[in-house]
Amino acid sequence: MTGISKTYFVASVPTLSGLDAVTGAIYSGQVNLPDENLVHTPDFVYQHVNGHGIAGIVSGITAFAEENGDILLAYGLADPLPDWKNNIYAALYNYTQKKIVFGKQLLSGNVLSSATGIPIFYGDKIYYSADASIICLNRYTGIQLWKKDFPEGFIFSGYIVADDKLIGNNEDTYLYALDPETGLQLWKEKSSGSS
């Protein structure tokens, strides 16, 4: 869940698809009102349904207010494949203009994971985690600028950008600092892993 002022956005609420399966979608609401509205359903492939009856997954969502007042929604999505594997993508939706800025930029393919971490906006970039990687995309085009692979993922502990460093606590029990421009590892130190 994410929000701007009194408007909140939530991902991964199941909706029926054409396969008698469910898919993720993005909804919005006002914190002081009981109703939610469907905002956007990503363009899923609908070729496979996983063992839970899911034909498409939405995970990790961040709302960002542009200087011009537009609200952008960055999110991750996954199309199920056979054997519980998934293709994981990044997408960016302009909520104010009701249009896709970029959709389905591949982050990780044919992996057992189906979730992304919470996307982070920083300057002209958006950072995602998928499977065991952190990926940096151009926020206007979705073009991948760099990808850094790790022994494990960041889904449980997350990552932030602070003091011109991208800092993430990895499930491998190390805390990593990366240069947010290049993905170059600056340092790592022992941590607790999941936190």
Side-chain angles (χ1 to χ4, degrees), residues 109-171:
N110 199 29
V111 295
L112 287 171
S113 177
S114 63
T116 63
I118 304 299
I120 295 175
F121 286 87
Y122 183 72
D124 61 353
K125 297 172 179 58
I126 305 175
Y127 302 93
Y128 289 83
S129 68
D131 196 35
S133 303
I134 290 182
I135 303 101
C136 176
L137 303 180
N138 178 293
R139 109 171 183 193
Y140 304 105
T141 64
I143 293 172
Q144 182 177 304
L145 302 175
W146 56 261
K147 180 176 184 177
K148 174 83 172 155
D149 296 322
F150 294 87
E152 300 288 337
F154 294 87
I155 297 297
F156 296 108
S157 297
Y159 48 98
I160 61 172
V161 177
D163 296 329
D164 294 321
K165 294 175 186 64
L166 191 152
I167 300 169
N169 194 40
N170 194 278
E171 296 302 304

Side-chain angles (χ1 to χ4, degrees), residues 66-147:
E66 292 268 66
E67 288 182 16
N68 68 2
D70 283 3
I71 295 174
L72 302 178
L73 301 174
Y75 61 94
L77 64 149
D79 280 321
L81 299 171
D83 300 322
W84 293 97
K85 293 191 177 175
N86 298 277
N87 286 333
I88 303 174
Y89 303 92
L92 184 63
Y93 182 76
N94 187 314
Y95 171 74
T96 306
Q97 297 182 24
K98 308 296 185 226
K99 69 177 189 178
I100 297 169
V101 178
F102 64 80
K104 296 192 84 166
Q105 300 299 318
L106 186 65
L107 298 175
S108 291
N110 199 29
V111 295
L112 287 171
S113 177
S114 63
T116 63
I118 304 299
I120 295 175
F121 286 87
Y122 183 72
D124 61 353
K125 297 172 179 58
I126 305 175
Y127 302 93
Y128 289 83
S129 68
D131 196 35
S133 303
I134 290 182
I135 303 101
C136 176
L137 303 180
N138 178 293
R139 109 171 183 193
Y140 304 105
T141 64
I143 293 172
Q144 182 177 304
L145 302 175
W146 56 261
K147 180 176 184 177

Side-chain angles (χ1 to χ4, degrees), residues 9-98:
F9 302 93
V10 62
S12 292
V13 178
T15 59
L16 289 176
S17 73
L19 295 175
D20 293 328
V22 294
T23 61
I26 299 171
Y27 289 81
S28 71
Q30 299 294 311
V31 294
N32 56 343
L33 299 173
D35 297 327
E36 289 184 343
N37 300 303
L38 177 64
V39 169
H40 175 64
T41 302
D43 182 23
F44 294 110
V45 173
Y46 298 110
Q47 286 183 330
H48 301 281
V49 175
N50 72 19
H52 294 301
I54 298 172
I57 299 162
V58 179
S59 67
I61 182 170
T62 298
F64 180 81
E66 292 268 66
E67 288 182 16
N68 68 2
D70 283 3
I71 295 174
L72 302 178
L73 301 174
Y75 61 94
L77 64 149
D79 280 321
L81 299 171
D83 300 322
W84 293 97
K85 293 191 177 175
N86 298 277
N87 286 333
I88 303 174
Y89 303 92
L92 184 63
Y93 182 76
N94 187 314
Y95 171 74
T96 306
Q97 297 182 24
K98 308 296 185 226

